[in-house]
Amino acid sequence: MKFSYDWLADFVDLSGITPVELAEKLTYHAFEVEEVSTYGAKIVGPITAGKIISIEPHPNADKIRLTRVLINDTDTYDIVCGASNIEVDQIVPVALPGSIVINRHDNSPLPIKKSKIRGADSNGMLCSASELGISTDNSNNGGIYILKDSNIKLGTDLIDLLNLKQDYILHIEPRSNRPDVLSHYGMAREIAAIFNLPLKEPKTNINEFSQFQEAFIDLDINIENKEDCPFFSLCGIKNLTDINTPSLIRHRLEAIGVRSINFIVDITNYVLHEMGQPMHAYDYDKLDNSRAFLVRRACNEETITTIDNRLRKLNSTNLVIANNQKAIGVAGIMGGIESEISNSTQNVILESACFDARSVRQSSRSLGLSSDSSLRFERGVIKHMTLNSLNRALYLILNYSIASNPNIKYSKVFQTGDLNEQTNRVSLSFKDLDNTLGVSIDTATVESILNKLGFSVIDKNQFEISVQIPLHRLKDIGESIDLVEEIARLYGYNNIPLEPLETIDHIPHNQNISDKVKENMVGFGFNEIWTSSLIPKKRSRNTDIQVLNPVSQDHEYLRSSLIPGLIQAFEYNLARQHKDIFLFENAYVYKHDSSITSTTLDLKSTGVSQILSLAALCFGSNERQNWLNLSQETTELSFFRLKGILENILVNLNINLNLISWDSCDNEYLHPTRQASIIYNDPSRKIKLGHIGEIHPKLAIDYNTKQRLSLFEIDLDAVQGLIFKDSFKSIANTPFVNRDITIDCDTIISHQSIKWAIISQNYDKLTNLELVGLYRPSDNIKSLTYRLSFQDTSKTLLAQEIDEIIEKIRLNLIEKFNVSFRGL
Amino acid sequence: MTDQEISTQLQSIKKEALTALSHCDTLDLLENWKQAYLSRKSKFNDILKNLGKIGDVDTKKTIGELANTIKDELLKTFDEACTTLNAKFLNEQIQKEAIDVSLPGISYKPGHYHPLSQICQNIAQIFSSLGFEQVFGPEVETNYYNFDALNIDADHPARDEQDTFYTSIAPHVLLRSQTSTVQIRSMEKTRPPLKIISIGRVYRNEEINARKYPIFHQVEGLYVNSKVSFGQLKWTLQKFINAFFERDLKIRLRPDFFPFTEPSAEVDCECPFCDTKGCKTCGHKGWLEILGCGMVHPNVLKNVGENYQGYSGFAFGMGVERLAMIKYGIYDIRYFYNNDLRFIGQF
């Protein structure tokens, strides 16, 4: 929101306070001022109103003329002018030598001095609107700014009259709990408290104009539901003439970004930004002259065309103002176009009302329409300002009209509803205040701060103070902590001293599984990625949780796997010429227990489990391109390289690999014969940890490359539950013996089944078993070489003892798998 | 044979042996020489074997001594020859194996942490050293934990402002819009005193641009004890900011509004990149907006039940992406989620 420094100064004396100082104090005691900008160029006088008394052709030029201008009773100036819209007797702005206006070609400062133009003396300049930094008036586009008000006295200083002063705009985003500062008057009240200055009230005394009051109209107001609209007031004005919006009003509105429309509409907007009270004006002649106004909920199928010229379908959430059965405005949001004020409007009904915040919010949402007006009603207008604001609007209209329009009349105010509000008192204990802030603030300071903010002290003793809440703070003040905040911010957050925390009595153990896993993955040459947990439908599974109001279709489902994100990141990088891509992500995935329905769910539960997952993708090699040509890619390398890394991760997490099995699996995006599910088996349980595989060849076609892509994903929460910290085992000094055995078997028999067949027998001298060789003598036979390690911790093993174990192994394997042993 | 003859013979064997030794230029030849001259089957040994037959004790002694001297000398010379030859071979090998040490090393491509990970770990470490325990909370949340328990009532504009994502599960199930949910969940689980931080993902329905992304991360801190003050909050945040930027920076607080804290403040610190002179990072303001904080609102403590009656606390929250963008000078939030290796590789 924009606030005009000049406007604020109407209500609080800002002399001696620069806009920057004001912004700084506001920022540290109330609301952040995001920016201070200037509005309007720096115009320097003397610029006066002058009357053109003659226009002669220039002897040496066609397009410029010689004018003589009278600037007071006696003094005339000869000025050369190039504009074509001037005529004798017009009153125009005259920049005299020494003044500075704006160069309309490049907006730079243009100093005015006596000069000769093509041989003719020119002692100043007649100015256009843009040369004075005011927005171009539609009537004299590009020409000299003709002052319409014929009553202007010659020689009048136009800097003040046209409000040509440079203004400063404070950009402030008031907080949602402070509807009382959504206006210049409200903000000035805050400034007055901070600087300890008196607050000046806006002029609302219409009794000054009592001779213009007349009972020319009788209005009838009905409110269907007092909760939707606690207060509603109207006032009629007749015999308006088309007058220009006074430049002060227009200038200030434009300075804060509000477009000037016409006198009446500008006044209603001005009052909104000055008092914080939204106003509306109806062209009474367009209302079928019906005197009955009804505030009611819209009927279904009812429509209205709002002043933005859009037809809107209404429903029962929309509160409307109806006249003669017909909706003429959406309450608190926008008026209807039929009764819109125009330049030719003569008779007006002004409305100032108090609409319920929730009702306006719902109405605004259902129409998808918000306005300066609805924004204020939604936050809650200050009820007692309603009538004040109506009077203020009336005051301004009369004040600016009567000089040129002695026939103007206004009616009395017609109102329905109650403006009285219950005020509350609130108490604050001085001890609580000091404890909360960590500083002792003396009671006199406390009292003075509360007074400045408009709280009146009802009662006080050495322990506590009781105050009455001012009417404009009923929305955000209700309990003692609210007073603590008010006192703290006026005292100054930055004046509260630092206080060390007491000695740390608890050392957290923060090493978590993620830190460890990430360290490992990075160590293995993987790059960590963070992907969006919201994914598009095409990458989701049909059990994934759907977001009802997604920001886009790319973010519609909550992922149940990290794989889609990995693949997306892979594709992104592949398209950017990366040849070897090693990625991992360690993040949450989300699974909804579909047995829990929304009806069985209590309001504190979601039925969703959040699982910490680790997924990795490898494509190509993680070795650097080397000049020794060491690496040899086979198609299987990708899978086994990734599997090796996963095994290392599990070992580093203290998972016993001998309890992990790599079983068949049917993930549809993985290669059907190159994928495995990773299962943890111990005698008591079987837990699926995840899966690993090469990407399905049909998906890999898109990648247009011969390199293989492998992926795994594991459930780290499940893994964490299996971590077993072994205690130290003493080291045996007896020698160990390695024996290699080579087995020929059918290719369908897996390494895993052979390995398990051996280790499940628990031969106590067999300490390790490792596959050291594999080759395929023919298509359906494979030959596996295992290195068996034997050790007896108490003595040196005899060859005979080892032979006996190997013989048992041989018989066992022959029986189970019909293998043959080479060399035995 | 006479003594004289024997000694002459020994001397001649010695001479012959030394000559032969000087021609041995491989380790095999040296071994053969040793067999020929110093083994049990050597001529030298043959002579010594016959020594026993000499009757005269003095003669026996003289010859014996001579023989031992010669044997020692031969052995010594042999050892020297071995050493020399080994040294020679080693030197040859070394010369032959010369490499161009300036060739590039053979290595694996290093992996990289995502910058957000590094920032999160950094933050967790700093708060850990101040005694804050790291906790985690769910991202799929309920209206209760995301709003109600945090003193944000149904009509509160904050519920509009935050534009929360709702899910198909149930009307009250949403994606949390702030990590403050963890405050409530932690207090429900643990009795005071409580000193936690939680770093996690939050969701807001906002159009994607250089500054905004519908998902981002927050750090939430909470300290509840019998007498916690605003001064302690300021001290804690001052220590954090100094540690995070690795230098002492002034902080300043501005009033702000959060429904779950009161008094509430926004904290700025001096821009560490320009010493408050104004630069691109701080938007030429000289100060950086770092975090929001405040004293835990009494209603929040009330909402978690009687265990927290009579306690007070402070809470703070900050955006991880924002801190990362400041620290590394990243100007577009989308870099964090594109996962371009040219980006991640820089961290």
Side-chain angles (χ1 to χ4, degrees):
Chain A
M1 251 187 97
K2 294 177 178 176
F3 290 87
S4 150
Y5 176 82
D6 185 48
W7 198 344
L8 290 168
D10 280 5
F11 309 111
V12 59
D13 181 6
L14 294 179
S15 54
I17 302 168
T18 67
V20 171
E21 282 164 3
L22 176 62
E24 201 167 290
K25 283 261 190 181
L26 270 173
T27 298
Y28 290 120
H29 295 285
F31 310 101
E32 186 191 7
V33 179
E34 286 155 4
E35 192 191 339
V36 179
S37 58
T38 56
Y39 180 78
K42 200 162 188 169
I43 307 276
V44 177
I47 297 168
T48 66
K51 188 174 181 179
I52 302 173
I53 53 174
S54 72
I55 304 177
E56 303 291 334
H58 191 292
N60 304 325
D62 293 338
K63 290 194 175 161
I64 50 179
R65 293 184 283 177
L66 308 178
T67 67
R68 179 159 291 174
V69 184
L70 188 64
I71 63 148
N72 57 32
D73 293 345
T74 53
D75 296 335
T76 59
Y77 280 74
D78 289 336
I79 293 170
V80 176
C81 179
S84 57
N85 70 325
I86 48 170
E87 287 166 22
V88 171
D89 283 347
Q90 280 173 336
I91 299 195
V92 294
V94 185
L96 298 177
S99 64
I100 301 172
V101 296
I102 302 162
N103 185 332
R104 64 193 155 97
H105 300 295
D106 60 3
N107 291 326
S108 63
L110 178 64
I112 303 300
K113 30 187 198 232
K114 289 187 178 180
S115 63
K116 270 193 192 309
I117 298 174
R118 297 237 182 157
D121 282 333
S122 187
N123 297 324
M125 190 169 96
L126 310 188
C127 302
S128 68
S130 60
E131 281 158 342
L132 296 176
I134 49 186
S135 65
T136 313
D137 219 52
N138 46 15
S139 57
N140 53 13
N141 200 1
I144 298 302
Y145 184 65
I146 312 298
L147 299 166
K148 289 217 175 128
D149 182 356
S150 53
N151 293 326
I152 291 180
K153 222 176 133 221
L154 298 189
T156 304
D157 177 10
L158 294 181
I159 300 267
D160 272 347
L161 187 81
L162 296 179
N163 208 44
L164 301 181
K165 279 183 305 219
Q166 196 172 31
D167 196 3
Y168 295 88
I169 306 304
L170 279 66
H171 301 249
I172 306 174
E173 209 47 69
R175 297 191 290 275
S176 58
N177 65 333
R178 290 293 303 275
D180 62 301
V181 295
L182 297 174
S183 65
H184 282 76
Y185 174 68
M187 191 56 80
R189 185 166 43 207
E190 191 71 28
I191 293 166
I194 293 167
F195 286 90
N196 198 18
L197 292 168
L199 180 69
K200 295 184 249 178
E201 295 298 322
K203 285 186 183 155
T204 54
N205 185 12
I206 51 169
N207 292 336
E208 286 180 29
F209 308 108
S210 54
Q211 73 267 34
F212 297 96
Q213 193 180 353
E214 190 181 288
F216 60 88
I217 196 170
D218 188 19
L219 299 173
D220 186 22
I221 302 167
N222 275 294
I223 300 173
E224 192 181 67
N225 183 346
K226 281 263 164 21
E227 273 177 26
D228 286 341
C229 176
F231 183 82
F232 191 87
S233 63
L234 295 170
C235 171
I237 305 170
K238 74 168 184 175
N239 301 337
L240 281 161
T241 52
D242 176 22
I243 62 166
N244 282 335
T245 301
S247 47
L248 175 95
I249 303 254
R250 199 183 61 200
H251 198 83
R252 282 181 174 176
L253 286 176
E254 282 167 354
I256 61 163
V258 178
R259 197 164 54 94
S260 168
I261 294 167
N262 58 46
F263 177 56
I264 295 295
V265 173
D266 287 353
I267 293 292
T268 59
N269 282 334
Y270 188 82
V271 172
L272 178 144
H273 289 283
E274 185 174 73
M275 311 287 281
Q277 170 66 40
M279 311 278 297
H280 190 67
Y282 304 94
D283 186 330
Y284 189 57
D285 297 321
K286 295 179 188 162
L287 287 182
D288 308 333
N289 290 311
S290 165
R291 45 184 290 275
F293 286 77
L294 175 62
V295 183
R296 61 161 167 84
R297 292 292 180 120
C299 320
N300 286 329
E301 306 300 313
E302 193 169 6
T303 61
I304 184 172
T305 303
T306 42
I307 56 170
D308 55 359
N309 209 4
R310 285 189 52 190
L311 179 74
R312 301 192 180 263
K313 275 194 186 149
L314 304 173
N315 60 52
S316 62
T317 58
N318 306 123
L319 191 68
V320 297
I321 317 300
N323 175 268
N324 196 20
Q325 320 280 317
K326 206 169 66 182
I328 56 169
V330 186
I333 303 176
M334 200 174 273
I337 201 161
E338 279 183 36
S339 55
E340 188 186 17
I341 304 291
S342 69
N343 288 341
S344 56
T345 299
Q346 292 176 351
N347 301 309
V348 159
I349 305 287
L350 274 181
E351 168 199 302
S352 183
C354 182
F355 299 113
D356 176 60
R358 189 187 307 193
S359 157
V360 174
R361 187 180 313 124
Q362 286 166 350
S363 177
S364 159
R365 263 199 214 152
S366 95
L367 291 174
L369 176 66
S370 67
S371 61
D372 277 344
S373 171
S374 66
L375 178 122
R376 284 171 177 78
F377 280 121
E378 280 182 40
R379 298 205 180 174
V381 294
I382 312 302
K383 209 168 160 191
H384 74 275
M385 294 292 280
T386 321
L387 217 43
N388 273 355
S389 301
L390 184 65
N391 285 334
R392 175 67 177 155
L394 206 47
Y395 181 92
L396 289 169
I397 291 169
L398 294 166
N399 185 46
Y400 286 113
S401 296
I402 49 171
S404 61
N405 180 8
N407 299 322
I408 191 166
K409 297 287 179 222
Y410 70 96
S411 75
K412 70 163 190 163
V413 172
F414 302 88
Q415 62 184 76
T416 300
D418 186 6
L419 278 184
N420 285 331
E421 276 184 285
Q422 185 91 37
T423 67
N424 291 319
R425 54 189 288 173
V426 57
S427 308
L428 171 69
S429 129
F430 294 121
K431 188 169 152 250
D432 286 352
L433 174 73
D434 291 354
N435 285 347
T436 305
L437 299 184
V439 64
S440 178
I441 302 178
D442 67 80
T443 58
T445 306
V446 170
E447 194 176 342
S448 132
I449 288 173
L450 290 172
N451 276 329
K452 281 187 239 173
L453 289 165
F455 294 87
S456 46
V457 176
I458 298 168
D459 197 11
K460 117 181 146 150
N461 58 38
Q462 64 185 111
F463 305 111
E464 62 169 29
I465 186 166
S466 291
V467 293
Q468 176 130 17
I469 304 167
L471 288 174
H472 61 276
R473 298 299 299 277
L474 291 176
K475 296 263 176 350
D476 76 305
I477 305 283
E479 46 199 324
S480 66
I481 193 70
D482 301 327
L483 295 185
V484 172
E485 179 169 68
E486 293 302 297
I487 293 159
R489 70 185 177 90
L490 275 246
Y491 182 81
Y493 285 180
N494 296 312
N495 295 325
I496 295 171
L498 304 190
E499 181 188 346
L501 286 182
E502 57 265 45
T503 328
I504 294 157
D505 52 4
H506 171 67
I507 307 294
H509 19 85
N510 270 345
Q511 170 74 15
N512 58 45
I513 192 167
S514 280
D515 289 350
K516 191 161 185 180
V517 160
K518 285 179 185 177
E519 201 178 317
N520 271 292
M521 292 305 293
V522 169
F524 289 128
F526 284 76
N527 291 293
E528 189 193 4
I529 62 170
W530 285 39
T531 67
S532 169
S533 34
L534 293 170
I535 56 174
K537 189 181 175 82
K538 64 169 193 254
R539 292 188 192 267
S540 71
R541 297 178 185 158
N542 54 13
T543 50
D544 285 359
I545 299 157
Q546 191 184 359
V547 171
L548 295 177
N549 52 336
V551 65
S552 78
Q553 289 192 336
D554 285 342
H555 300 84
E556 200 179 348
Y557 287 84
L558 209 52
R559 67 184 172 201
S560 57
S561 161
L562 297 178
I563 300 290
L566 273 179
I567 290 177
Q568 194 177 8
F570 161 74
E571 288 169 351
Y572 180 95
N573 285 295
L574 189 67
R576 281 159 184 80
Q577 297 177 296
H578 288 278
K579 291 203 178 61
D580 301 299
I581 299 174
F582 277 56
L583 305 173
F584 80 99
E585 183 166 17
N586 171 218
Y588 290 117
V589 296
Y590 319 84
K591 288 177 183 161
H592 175 221
D593 181 348
S594 55
S595 67
I596 300 168
T597 65
S598 69
T599 46
T600 56
L601 213 51
D602 80 74
L603 290 176
K604 285 171 90 171
S605 328
T606 62
V608 174
S609 46
Q610 175 171 305
I611 297 150
L612 187 63
S613 183
L614 170 70
L617 173 155
C618 78
F619 177 77
S621 160
N622 59 345
E623 284 152 17
R624 279 189 196 284
Q625 192 68 45
N626 68 64
W627 40 272
L628 285 173
N629 297 319
L630 291 177
S631 71
Q632 251 192 342
E633 283 287 325
T634 72
T635 71
E636 291 167 48
L637 189 56
S638 171
F639 178 92
F640 289 109
R641 177 187 278 135
L642 191 64
K643 185 182 173 189
I645 286 162
L646 176 55
E647 286 171 331
N648 277 342
I649 298 280
L650 293 171
V651 168
N652 285 341
L653 290 171
N654 289 318
I655 302 295
N656 183 352
L657 277 193
N658 286 335
L659 297 177
I660 301 286
S661 70
W662 308 79
D663 296 352
S664 66
C665 187
D666 57 356
N667 260 300
E668 59 198 24
Y669 61 90
L670 292 179
H671 191 305
T673 59
R674 290 185 170 188
Q675 62 169 307
S677 52
I678 305 156
I679 312 284
Y680 178 87
N681 297 280
D682 70 12
S684 60
R685 59 198 164 157
K686 219 172 154 84
I687 298 164
K688 179 164 180 186
L689 301 182
H691 51 267
I692 182 168
E694 205 176 276
I695 199 155
H696 199 294
K698 74 182 178 202
L699 298 174
I701 289 168
D702 294 347
Y703 306 144
N704 192 22
T705 164
K706 289 210 171 72
Q707 293 193 94
R708 299 295 175 124
L709 173 72
S710 297
L711 305 144
F712 74 71
E713 178 164 29
I714 56 168
D715 174 344
L716 281 187
D717 286 336
V719 170
Q720 192 154 29
L722 305 172
I723 292 175
F724 175 71
K725 288 250 164 77
D726 244 344
S727 55
F728 170 74
K729 287 198 189 83
S730 60
I731 298 160
N733 283 321
T734 51
F736 63 85
V737 178
N738 285 338
R739 287 281 186 90
D740 289 358
I741 57 170
T742 299
I743 302 159
D744 285 352
C745 65
D746 194 301
T747 44
I748 60 160
I749 294 166
S750 71
H751 151 73
Q752 177 172 281
S753 51
I754 292 169
K755 179 180 138 189
W756 279 27
I758 298 171
I759 62 177
S760 63
Q761 298 296 314
N762 291 321
Y763 303 109
D764 68 344
K765 308 286 188 291
L766 179 64
T767 56
N768 194 27
L769 170 151
E770 206 172 336
L771 181 72
V772 292
L774 167 73
Y775 84 105
R776 294 188 179 85
S778 67
D779 273 355
N780 48 6
I781 293 192
K782 66 179 169 192
S783 179
L784 300 155
T785 303
Y786 289 97
R787 179 157 300 157
L788 307 173
S789 303
F790 298 92
Q791 189 179 32
D792 184 328
T793 53
S794 58
K795 63 177 174 52
T796 302
L797 274 173
L798 299 174
Q800 193 193 342
E801 291 175 89
I802 296 167
D803 292 344
E804 279 167 15
I805 300 171
I806 288 179
E807 181 59 12
K808 281 184 192 157
I809 290 171
R810 191 176 74 92
L811 292 173
N812 179 25
L813 294 181
I814 289 169
E815 188 198 331
K816 278 203 174 110
F817 304 114
N818 193 23
V819 301
S820 62
F821 270 57
R822 293 203 172 192
L824 280 177
Chain B
M1 277 197 288
T2 66
D3 321 355
Q4 198 57 50
E5 280 168 345
I6 294 168
S7 94
T8 307
Q9 210 174 355
L10 283 173
Q11 291 295 352
S12 111
I13 290 169
K14 174 189 163 189
K15 198 175 170 190
E16 182 194 322
L18 286 176
T19 310
L21 185 62
S22 69
H23 290 103
C24 293
D25 55 3
T26 70
L27 289 173
D28 285 347
L29 289 174
L30 274 177
E31 197 49 41
N32 290 345
W33 180 91
K34 198 178 179 187
Q35 286 297 323
Y37 295 99
L38 292 171
S39 70
R40 287 184 186 176
K41 290 172 187 165
S42 64
K43 285 187 213 167
F44 195 83
N45 218 42
D46 290 346
I47 293 168
L48 292 181
K49 275 186 217 157
N50 293 329
L51 216 58
K53 295 173 190 158
I54 296 171
D56 178 55
V57 179
D58 283 347
T59 306
K60 201 188 252 180
K61 195 182 165 194
T62 314
I63 298 293
E65 278 171 3
L66 178 65
N68 277 331
T69 310
I70 290 171
K71 192 181 176 183
D72 287 350
E73 196 183 336
L74 286 179
L75 264 176
K76 191 179 161 223
T77 316
F78 172 78
D79 285 346
E80 283 167 3
C82 284
T83 309
T84 310
L85 200 58
N86 275 325
K88 182 180 159 229
F89 286 149
L90 187 64
N91 193 40
E92 278 171 12
Q93 186 196 349
I94 287 167
Q95 294 310 320
K96 211 159 57 191
E97 287 176 358
I99 57 167
D100 176 358
V101 291
S102 71
L103 286 168
I106 309 294
S107 68
Y108 290 99
K109 287 176 194 159
H112 296 270
Y113 283 98
H114 193 279
L116 294 178
S117 253
Q118 299 184 27
I119 295 285
C120 290
Q121 284 180 4
N122 187 201
I123 293 168
Q125 247 165 28
I126 295 168
F127 282 109
S128 174
S129 68
L130 290 167
F132 286 77
E133 181 102 37
Q134 198 175 354
V135 298
F136 301 91
E139 292 162 23
V140 181
E141 261 296 2
T142 61
N143 261 322
Y144 177 76
Y145 288 107
N146 200 64
F147 294 122
D148 299 340
L150 288 165
N151 198 34
I152 310 172
D153 63 48
D155 275 337
H156 202 284
R159 289 199 175 187
D160 284 349
E161 283 169 6
Q162 293 186 341
D163 273 354
T164 312
F165 288 120
Y166 284 85
T167 70
S168 55
I169 296 169
H172 71 277
V173 178
L174 47 79
L175 305 185
R176 67 175 177 191
S177 59
Q178 53 199 6
T179 43
S180 306
T181 53
V182 184
Q183 290 186 21
I184 308 297
R185 288 186 172 273
S186 299
M187 286 192 278
E188 281 182 350
K189 261 185 267 174
T190 320
R191 284 172 174 274
L194 186 65
K195 205 172 178 186
I196 52 157
I197 65 155
S198 186
I199 307 177
R201 183 166 288 196
V202 299
Y203 300 80
R204 289 191 198 171
N205 194 346
E206 292 178 321
E207 287 299 324
I208 298 173
N209 61 35
R211 293 266 142 196
K212 286 179 172 169
Y213 204 77
I215 62 171
F216 59 100
H217 299 79
Q218 283 186 334
V219 181
E220 186 80 12
L222 174 72
Y223 175 45
V224 181
N225 209 337
S226 48
K227 207 179 135 190
V228 177
S229 77
F230 195 81
Q232 289 176 324
L233 168 63
K234 284 180 72 175
W235 183 87
T236 306
L237 297 175
Q238 176 74 70
K239 295 293 156 193
F240 165 73
I241 285 168
N242 290 351
F244 184 77
F245 290 109
E246 294 166 1
R247 51 183 288 197
D248 288 352
L249 295 169
K250 278 200 194 91
I251 60 166
R252 57 182 202 185
L253 282 76
R254 294 179 273 113
D256 205 336
F257 169 66
F258 310 111
F260 36 92
T261 52
E262 190 165 13
S264 303
E266 200 64 56
V267 180
D268 299 338
C269 75
E270 288 178 297
C271 176
F273 304 101
C274 65
D275 295 314
T276 71
K277 286 187 196 77
C279 65
K280 214 175 149 191
T281 305
C282 59
H284 303 282
K285 287 180 174 166
W287 292 80
L288 289 168
E289 195 176 315
I290 297 294
L291 52 83
C293 63
M295 304 305 294
V296 179
H297 198 287
N299 291 351
V300 173
L301 296 172
K302 219 178 286 167
N303 287 339
V304 294
E306 59 188 22
N307 282 344
Y308 281 80
Q309 289 307 300
Y311 282 84
S312 56
F314 66 65
F316 54 85
M318 55 193 128
V320 176
E321 279 81 354
R322 181 172 164 72
L323 288 173
M325 287 167 91
I326 291 171
K327 194 154 186 174
Y328 298 123
I330 297 164
Y331 48 83
D332 192 327
I333 195 170
R334 288 168 290 199
Y335 276 120
F336 294 121
Y337 298 99
N338 283 346
N339 295 304
D340 193 319
L341 288 172
R342 294 167 298 182
F343 173 76
I344 295 169
Q346 295 181 37
F347 299 95

